[in-house]
Amino acid sequence: MIQFIAILVLAYLLGSIPSGLIVGKVFYKTDIREHGSGNLGGTNTFRTLGVKAGLAVTLADILKGTLATALPALLAVDMHPLLAGVFAVIGHTYPIFAGFRGGKAVATSGGVILCYEPLLFIALVLAFFISLYISKYVSLSSMIAGVVGVLYVLIDGIFHKWDFPLFIVIILMASFVIYRHRTNIKRILNKTEPKIKWL
């Protein structure tokens, strides 16, 4: 039980590492929470600090989820890896190291999936960039990727083998991502949501 709790705490702390805040303050002397959407995720980093910083933060946020999900295997503890992954997502969204003001869970959720089901991760990335190319909206593309994830697991379960823990987690993650983007949805409907210019 102690090992079980320790992994969940460690996963949360990994998720809580504020990549956007660290990159912004260390390399750019900028607190990105004071700019753009005020969010600590990769999207606001791209907008505020540029492509290099955005890529670094997005990659770091993905790897947080991947490492946290791998903890049970790395430490030889009998725990479903997705449970640790979920705690990393919670940490990313409500980080103890950044006043519980974090990102919108997209990249770290992707990192969880990368560790647990790499083919699904590839499908999500493809769905994201196809949507981004068409719409130019990062927020909309993130939500569409979440929906594609649910459909992927559902179809895979029907035609191959059900993975109920993954199905439950992917529904929770997709729902949470959509919830976290509720203000973006309003801006998209009002046509005030910023579009990217680099794709």
Side-chain angles (χ1 to χ4, degrees):
M1 179 60 71
I2 293 177
Q3 290 179 319
F4 189 91
I5 294 173
I7 284 183
L8 295 184
V9 171
L10 183 55
Y12 170 78
L13 293 176
L14 277 172
S16 288
I17 297 172
S19 310
L21 187 62
I22 293 171
V23 169
K25 285 196 170 185
V26 172
F27 297 101
Y28 296 86
K29 309 302 180 186
T30 300
D31 186 339
I32 65 170
R33 294 174 299 181
E34 298 173 356
H35 302 271
S37 65
N39 192 272
L40 276 181
T43 301
N44 195 40
T45 307
F46 270 106
R47 291 173 182 162
T48 304
L49 303 177
V51 174
K52 289 183 179 179
L55 286 173
V57 169
T58 299
L59 181 60
D61 288 345
I62 289 173
L63 292 178
K64 290 190 304 187
T66 302
L67 179 57
T69 308
L71 284 176
L74 293 174
L75 300 178
V77 175
D78 185 18
M79 174 194 294
H80 199 289
L82 287 176
L83 182 57
V86 166
F87 270 73
V89 172
I90 294 172
H92 173 72
T93 312
Y94 305 106
I96 192 172
F97 302 129
F100 302 99
R101 292 173 53 203
K104 294 186 177 179
V106 178
T108 304
S109 295
V112 173
I113 300 302
L114 173 60
C115 179
Y116 187 78
E117 188 66 53
L119 286 178
L120 174 55
F121 175 79
I122 292 172
L124 296 180
V125 171
L126 288 174
F128 175 85
F129 278 105
I130 290 172
S131 173
L132 189 61
Y133 179 77
I134 295 171
S135 71
K136 310 301 181 187
Y137 288 128
V138 174
S139 54
L140 178 62
S141 301
S142 299
M143 292 183 279
I144 287 176
V147 173
V148 168
V150 173
L151 293 175
Y152 179 104
V153 177
L154 180 62
I155 294 171
D156 188 57
I158 293 173
F159 290 101
H160 294 97
K161 183 180 179 181
W162 278 105
D163 186 334
F164 284 105
L166 177 59
F167 185 57
I168 292 171
V169 167
I170 202 73
I171 287 177
L172 290 174
M173 285 181 172
S175 300
F176 193 53
V177 165
I178 292 172
Y179 170 75
R180 292 284 289 173
H181 284 88
R182 60 194 183 280
T183 56
N184 301 85
I185 294 173
K186 292 179 181 178
R187 289 197 294 267
I188 290 172
L189 294 175
N190 293 331
K191 297 182 179 181
T192 57
E193 177 77 349
K195 291 186 176 183
I196 64 164
K197 299 178 181 178
W198 51 269
L199 185 65

